[in-house]
Amino acid sequence: MRAGEAAAAAGVTIKALRYYEECGLLSPGRAANGYRDYSAEDVRLAEEIRGLGALGLTPSETRPFLACLRAGHETGDHCAESLAAYQQKIEALDLLIDRLTAGRDRLIRRRDAAARRGFPPVAQNPMKEPDEMLPRTDSLPQADPLPSGLPAPVDDGGAAHLPGRTLPPLSFTGTDGGDIRLDAVSEGRWVLFCYPLTGDPAADIPEGWNEIPGARGCSQEACGFRDNLAALRAEGVDRVLALSSDRADYQQALVDRLHLPYPMLSDPGLTLADALRLPTFEADGQRLYRRLTLVLRGATIEHVFYPVFPPDTHADEVAQWFRDQRDHRHHRDA
């Protein structure tokens, strides 16, 4: 059957089928005209990947289940290897729950201790702007410093086509709980930065991650935009958003851990990358966003930062770009 028929039968998108094929999870045949010819087994495998994904397993983690189905079993977990994959994921989740619970308990103790101490009177300014209400950056948790010697990415031209393009009408649910449609974020200036992944705190980073140019530094970049948010707003930036292929629960854990004051958007299918031909790369069987930052005016891309390096000081670079733009306008109008 054709891709559209197979996707509809499996309850996935055509792009998802293509991604499963890129990961080596599906191997459809070819018809005489060269088009992919999906079999009933391909549909069953795609259904299995989708069902396991709803349970939190990544496509690469579904391999034992797919092998079990290919071996002729009625269900994908009728094999010992599948049970072992279940157990491995459960242990990773248990570790994450333990870490989050311990962090929650520490926060409760600190909150209660602060409440018992009471607070000195503070003069309130009714005209205080929202930017002044942002938390002091010196009191916020910080990501670990980046290791030295990380390889710098080179400009491969993967973003040269983006200035002047219009964002597609794609909607994502942000970590703030709201549905955000990219082409309707703001009529003014705003910033969208894309990053590869922060991943599961209970799992190791992909093998060779530090050797991939520009891959390491997502938490550090996120902290940088948090700490520069007031400066960006002072330059007329309405909003800052972050987007990656991370699952929403991973992003929420990052927001909670680092006290990020802006929404993060989960795009596991890399739909924005496909719509705008954004640069991506492969690591550990996953297709990921390359790090880049878009400056937008309304839905139109005004400027692109690509490649981004080093990520821990990138937000300072973006804030300085806005200041330079302001100075250039003042000089021009003088």
Side-chain angles (χ1 to χ4, degrees):
M1 65 186 79
R2 296 285 295 274
E5 298 171 310
V12 300
T13 65
I14 294 176
K15 290 178 181 177
L17 287 180
R18 298 282 192 268
Y19 178 59
Y20 299 159
E21 186 179 348
E22 290 174 6
C23 293
L25 304 176
L26 298 181
S27 299
R30 294 280 179 173
N33 58 9
Y35 288 113
R36 291 174 175 83
D37 184 15
Y38 291 87
S39 65
E41 180 184 74
D42 293 324
V43 172
R44 180 69 185 91
L45 296 177
E47 287 179 324
E48 186 76 1
I49 298 170
R50 175 178 59 81
L52 292 169
L55 296 175
L57 276 74
T58 65
S60 63
E61 291 172 331
T62 68
R63 294 181 188 278
F65 302 88
L66 304 186
C68 195
L69 289 175
R70 288 192 178 100
H73 295 285
E74 184 176 350
T75 63
D77 56 9
H78 198 66
C79 299
E81 293 80 4
S82 303
L83 298 183
Y86 277 148
Q87 184 60 33
Q88 184 177 8
K89 192 66 175 182
I90 290 168
E91 290 174 357
L93 289 173
D94 285 341
L95 180 57
L96 176 59
I97 290 169
D98 290 343
R99 290 179 177 177
L100 293 175
T101 300
R104 179 179 181 275
D105 291 343
R106 288 194 297 270
L107 287 171
I108 290 173
R109 289 195 296 270
R110 293 185 64 131
R111 179 202 65 190
D112 293 347
R116 287 193 295 270
R117 287 197 304 269
F119 304 97
V122 178
Q124 297 295 324
N125 180 0
M127 299 302 292
K128 183 174 286 187
E129 294 292 332
D131 289 348
E132 295 176 284
M133 301 300 291
L134 292 172
R136 288 165 48 99
T137 58
D138 57 3
S139 66
L140 293 172
Q142 297 294 326
D144 294 334
L146 288 175
S148 60
L150 291 174
V154 298
D155 189 351
D156 58 2
H161 65 288
L162 292 173
R165 291 285 300 273
T166 300
L167 291 182
L170 295 174
S171 293
F172 302 95
T173 299
T175 48
D176 61 353
D179 288 330
I180 297 175
R181 181 167 151 165
L182 292 185
D183 63 340
V185 169
S186 169
E187 294 182 356
R189 271 178 154 179
W190 59 286
V191 171
L192 173 66
F193 70 94
C194 301
Y195 65 94
L197 62 80
T198 54
D200 185 344
D204 292 333
I205 61 175
E207 184 177 357
W209 190 246
N210 286 351
E211 285 70 52
I212 300 173
R216 182 71 181 268
C218 299
S219 297
Q220 292 80 3
E221 182 180 20
C223 286
F225 275 101
R226 176 199 66 190
D227 297 345
N228 278 277
L229 190 57
L232 289 168
R233 287 181 177 171
E235 297 301 329
V237 175
D238 289 343
R239 298 194 73 181
V240 169
L241 300 177
L243 181 141
S244 76
S245 60
D246 271 341
R247 278 175 29 200
D249 55 337
Y250 295 170
Q251 292 182 334
Q252 188 61 59
L254 185 72
V255 168
D256 294 342
R257 178 166 58 89
L258 298 179
H259 301 185
L260 302 181
Y262 51 82
M264 308 193 91
L265 310 178
S266 174
D267 183 15
L270 283 85
T271 54
L272 182 61
D274 291 337
L276 288 179
R277 294 188 292 117
L278 299 182
T280 62
F281 69 101
E282 298 282 340
D284 199 23
Q286 302 178 70
R287 180 179 172 225
L288 304 167
Y289 278 97
R290 288 196 181 277
R291 199 182 305 278
L292 86 164
T293 297
L294 305 178
V295 175
L296 300 114
R297 190 182 295 274
T300 302
I301 301 172
E302 180 180 1
H303 183 76
V304 181
F305 292 88
Y306 178 82
V308 170
F309 192 82
D312 55 345
T313 59
H314 173 57
D316 302 271
E317 176 188 13
V318 175
Q320 185 59 52
W321 182 87
F322 276 100
R323 286 190 287 268
D324 292 344
Q325 292 291 302
R326 179 197 60 196
D327 293 343
H328 176 74
R329 288 194 303 271
H330 288 174
H331 179 74
R332 182 191 61 199
D333 297 339

